[in-house]
């Protein structure tokens, strides 16, 4: 493997990504004890309330506790995907001024993933009678994003993997996940999301939908999962195009899906077709609290992870935030590609979503 290929391979590993951020002076390590339920997210959020974008950084918390006095054997990383355009560019392995071009190339020439026999994500496996030997999903330091308002801990940088029950096409979507029990997640997927379509197709067949929740995968997978990629185009392939190398994936242990081989944590399970449960409130990227709803529930069947996993999370709430930056960059690129290539409108020069209203305020520049 030459130097270029080695650099691309490192883009599939979150720990290498953190090292690159640190070498660029874009990562702050916090070694003092910090409470994930009350202190962690508000501390990171401060930088979005008073610093210019070029001063924002990613954070790695190495001494994490909770309000029950527990200490976790692992770390929490926040702001490491899109605290700024510079942070985002490190995850893609290119300069900031090449992000748009890299996105155009990835959508035009996606690279199919390569299945490998095993990977770091299977260093530890909990399933069957051993599923709850380390207290299930409560083993991990899942933060409360908006202390005092959120109903409890949520996964935010959570890439949900599902498969079309008819075609076999795999989708990766970024949806929140509410911790309900050591072996149960509440999740929010709206009818606009492709994961919801898969779930609805399975429900109509009277079946639960197999799913895998990936935490701490390649940064490019998070970038692709948060974008408006057309139905039928696999995010794994677009993510491979973003880094210039096919993603390495491994088979799950209890469901018929594949996940990034170098991910930090994977939670496998089935989304029930028989019942819903109350889910939320949750502080959304719009700056408002998402109200309580009846939403889908995933019953956990296996947990696999690296030793001392890095739990990755995204800062959301009122823009500017990490989630609004993440969505803006991806959707600028996705809508530009759609108008130019799918709609055959070559006179479209640029598309820009406003960060404070990513889904509804879009400017199109034309020749």
């Amino acid at each position: 493997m030459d130097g270029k290929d080695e650099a691309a391979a490192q883009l599939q590993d979150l720990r290498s990504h953190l090292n690159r951020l640190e070498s660029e002076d874009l990562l702050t390590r916090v070694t003092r004890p910090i409470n994930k339920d009350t202190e962690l997210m508000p501390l990171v959020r401060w930088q979005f309330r008073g610093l210019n974008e070029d001063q924002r950084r990613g954070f790695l918390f190495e001494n994490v506790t909770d309000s029950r006095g527990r200490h976790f054997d692992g770390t929490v990383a926040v702001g490491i995907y899109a605290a700024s355009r510079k942070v985002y560019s490190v995850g893609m392995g290119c300069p900031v001024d090449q992000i748009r071009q890299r996105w155009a190339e990835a959508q035009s020439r996606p690279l199919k993933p390569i299945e490998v026999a095993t990977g770091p994500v299977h260093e530890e496996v909990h399933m069957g009678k051993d599923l709850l030997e380390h207290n299930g999903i409560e083993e991990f330091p899942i933060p409360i994003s908006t202390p005092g308002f959120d109903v409890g801990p949520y996964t935010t940088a959570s890439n949900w993997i599902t498969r079309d029950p008819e075609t076999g096409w795999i989708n990766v979507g970024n949806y929140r996940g509410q911790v309900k029990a050591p072996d149960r997640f509440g999740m929010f997927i709206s009818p606009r999301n492709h994961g919801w379509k898969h779930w609805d197709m399975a429900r109509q067949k009277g079946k639960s939908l197999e799913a895998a929740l990936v935490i701490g995968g390649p940064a490019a997978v998070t970038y692709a999962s948060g974008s408006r990629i057309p139905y039928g185009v696999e995010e794994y392939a677009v993510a491979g195009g973003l880094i210039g190398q096919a993603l390495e994936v491994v088979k799950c242990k209890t469901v018929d899906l594949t996940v990034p081989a170098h991910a930090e944590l994977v939670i496998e399970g089935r989304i029930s077709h028989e019942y819903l449960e109350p889910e939320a409130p949750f502080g959304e990227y719009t700056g408002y609290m998402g109200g309580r709803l009846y939403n889908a529930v995933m019953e956990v069947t296996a947990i696999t992870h690296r030793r001392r996993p890095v739990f990755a999370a995204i800062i959301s709430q009122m823009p500017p935030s990490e989630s609004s930056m993440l969505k803006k960059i991806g959707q600028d690129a996705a809508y530009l590609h759609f108008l130019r290539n799918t709609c055959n409108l070559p006179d479209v020069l640029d598309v820009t979503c406003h960060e404070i209203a990513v889904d509804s305020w879009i400017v199109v520049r034309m020749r």
Side-chain angles (χ1 to χ4, degrees):
M1 181 181 294
D2 61 27
K4 182 178 179 180
D5 289 340
E6 184 176 358
Q10 290 178 355
L11 292 171
Q12 301 196 34
D13 181 85
L14 185 72
R15 301 182 188 198
S16 296
H17 173 62
L18 294 174
N19 290 337
R20 289 192 303 276
L21 288 176
E22 192 164 38
S23 69
E24 297 277 351
D25 195 27
L26 292 170
L27 184 73
T28 297
R29 292 180 180 266
V30 180
T31 58
R32 53 148 284 187
I34 190 158
N35 188 324
K36 74 173 185 66
D37 297 331
T38 59
E39 301 175 304
L40 192 151
M41 286 298 206
L43 174 61
V44 180
R45 185 169 287 117
W46 272 349
Q47 68 176 333
F48 293 93
R49 295 297 175 266
L51 298 180
N52 294 328
E53 181 189 327
D54 60 2
Q55 296 176 288
R56 299 175 197 154
R57 303 159 63 87
F59 283 73
L60 181 65
F61 297 94
E62 300 179 322
N63 191 351
V64 183
T65 65
D66 70 3
S67 295
R68 289 182 278 176
R70 293 186 300 168
H71 183 272
F72 293 88
D73 184 28
T75 58
V76 176
V78 189
I80 60 165
Y81 293 122
S84 67
R85 288 172 179 80
K86 178 60 177 175
V87 170
Y88 191 104
S89 72
V90 172
M92 291 180 65
C94 69
V96 172
D97 60 6
Q98 293 181 17
I99 291 176
R100 180 65 64 88
Q101 181 61 31
R102 184 69 66 86
W103 259 106
E105 293 170 355
Q107 292 175 98
S108 300
R109 294 187 293 276
L111 297 174
K112 291 184 178 181
I114 297 173
E115 187 175 308
V116 296
T118 189
V121 72
H122 286 159
E123 287 178 349
E124 292 193 25
V125 177
H126 310 290
M127 55 188 288
K129 63 181 179 60
D130 298 324
L131 176 63
L132 301 181
E133 62 180 333
H134 293 164
N135 208 24
I137 56 181
E138 291 191 355
E139 173 186 356
F140 310 104
I142 305 175
I144 294 180
S145 290
T146 318
F149 295 90
D150 288 357
V151 71
Y154 278 83
T155 62
T156 50
S158 40
N159 300 316
W160 292 82
I161 317 298
T162 58
R163 184 189 297 277
D164 185 308
E166 296 179 357
T167 67
W169 168 69
I170 286 182
N171 178 68
V172 186
N174 190 59
Y175 321 125
R176 70 184 188 230
Q178 179 188 339
V179 177
K180 287 177 168 284
D183 60 352
R184 195 165 80 255
F185 262 112
M187 62 181 298
F188 177 82
I189 43 176
S190 79
R192 293 191 303 165
N193 299 131
H194 297 158
W196 187 93
K197 180 177 176 65
H198 291 177
W199 178 44
D200 192 49
M201 293 169 70
R203 284 193 301 169
Q204 293 188 34
K205 295 176 181 291
K207 298 180 179 179
S208 295
L209 179 68
E210 294 186 332
L213 191 166
V214 176
I215 300 287
V221 172
T222 296
Y223 299 158
S225 71
S227 304
R228 298 290 185 196
I229 294 175
Y231 193 85
V233 178
E234 290 196 358
E235 283 82 2
Y236 280 162
V238 173
L242 288 175
I243 62 173
Q245 186 181 82
L247 291 181
E248 293 184 352
V249 296
V250 293
K251 288 184 177 179
C252 289
K253 296 294 185 179
T254 59
V255 295
D256 184 22
L257 294 167
T258 56
V259 293
H262 298 273
E264 293 290 321
L265 167 65
V266 170
I267 301 167
E268 304 175 15
R270 292 177 175 85
I271 305 173
S272 176
H273 69 289
E274 297 179 314
Y275 67 99
L276 305 174
E277 287 185 351
E279 186 266 349
F282 177 78
E284 283 285 8
Y285 77 95
T286 56
Y288 294 91
M289 293 301 300
R292 187 180 187 221
L293 301 167
Y294 279 90
N295 273 328
V297 179
M298 185 177 83
E299 299 162 353
V300 176
T301 57
I303 299 171
T304 72
H305 60 89
R306 301 182 69 163
R307 295 185 184 91
R308 298 199 76 244
V310 179
F311 190 90
I314 292 174
I315 276 285
S316 192
Q317 263 289 353
M318 186 64 189
S321 68
E322 184 179 17
S323 65
S324 60
M325 177 66 72
L326 185 73
K327 288 169 67 72
K328 171 185 164 47
I329 294 175
Q331 292 185 190
D332 284 358
Y335 290 148
L336 178 62
H337 179 80
F338 173 76
L339 291 173
R340 278 183 175 173
N341 297 279
T342 305
C343 297
N344 192 26
L345 297 173
D347 285 342
V348 174
L349 300 178
D350 201 1
V351 175
T352 298
C353 300
H354 197 294
E355 191 176 349
I356 205 166
V358 176
D359 288 325
S360 57
W361 187 355
I362 302 173
V363 178
V364 179
R365 184 161 65 93
M366 303 187 69
R367 194 184 310 280

